Each structure stands twice: as structure tokens, then as C-alpha cells.
Amino acid sequence: MAGPVCAAAVIMPTDFHHLQLNDSKKMSIHDRILLRGEIEENAIDWAVVFIDNKQIDEINILKASLIGMHKALDNLNVVPDHILVQGSRHSLT
């Protein structure tokens, strides 16, 4: 039906601030591209994963999103102290 799902995990310095850093779905593609570079340049660590459409069709979009979030966290080299999730209010446990 759709895919892939993209999930990212980013650890930013506590003093990082950017006025446009908000919900990526509300940003223009141009602003997302510019902000991506700033995030990658300033991040302590980051990881991006994709869940393909076949897995989405097998398990549903919500479960695929949760799996993607877990995989992104697992791909970090630095263990975060805590996480903030943009998206579903369902548990990541």
C-alpha cells in the first residue's frame, strides 16, 4: 500500500537550538534539506532506518513505525539518557 517508513534517532547537544526545528511534515522540502545538514553537522550521534513496504503490509504501519524507531535507537553509537518521540502516542516498549 505504501512505503517505506523512515525513522530517525538523533542525539543533539543540550545547547542546540534552531527556530525551524519542529514537525518535519509542516516544513517545506527545501527547509528540511537545509535543516538536515545542520542536524547532521551538529548532532552528537544520529541514525536513520527504513522499513520496506512488504514488512509494512505484513505487520501494519504503526508496528512498522515502532520497529523503525527501535532500530534507529539500536543503530546509535551513543546511548541516550532519555528519548522524545515525535509521532504516535503508543508505547515503545
Side-chain angles (χ1 to χ4, degrees):
M1 186 165 119
V5 164
C6 176
V10 180
I11 301 175
M12 297 302 292
T14 56
D15 61 347
F16 180 83
H17 180 73
H18 194 288
L19 292 175
Q20 290 180 301
L21 186 58
N22 200 346
D23 186 344
S24 63
K25 293 179 282 309
K26 295 180 182 178
M27 297 173 66
S28 71
I29 185 75
H30 178 263
D31 289 343
R32 280 185 293 207
I33 291 169
L34 291 175
L35 192 54
R36 174 188 173 181
E38 288 196 44
I39 290 170
E40 289 176 354
E41 183 178 312
N42 289 286
I44 295 168
D45 197 7
W46 60 273
V48 177
V49 300
F50 297 90
I51 307 297
D52 68 32
N53 60 309
K54 291 179 184 177
Q55 188 169 6
I56 294 167
D57 290 344
E58 290 174 10
I59 63 175
N60 79 42
I61 191 74
L62 176 59
K63 289 180 184 173
S65 297
L66 294 172
I67 288 170
M69 288 183 232
H70 279 284
K71 286 184 176 187
L73 289 169
D74 290 344
N75 286 336
L76 292 172
N77 294 311
V78 177
V79 176
D81 293 329
H82 62 275
I83 63 170
L84 300 173
V85 177
Q86 176 190 350
S88 173
R89 296 186 187 273
H90 291 76
S91 172
L92 286 178
T93 57

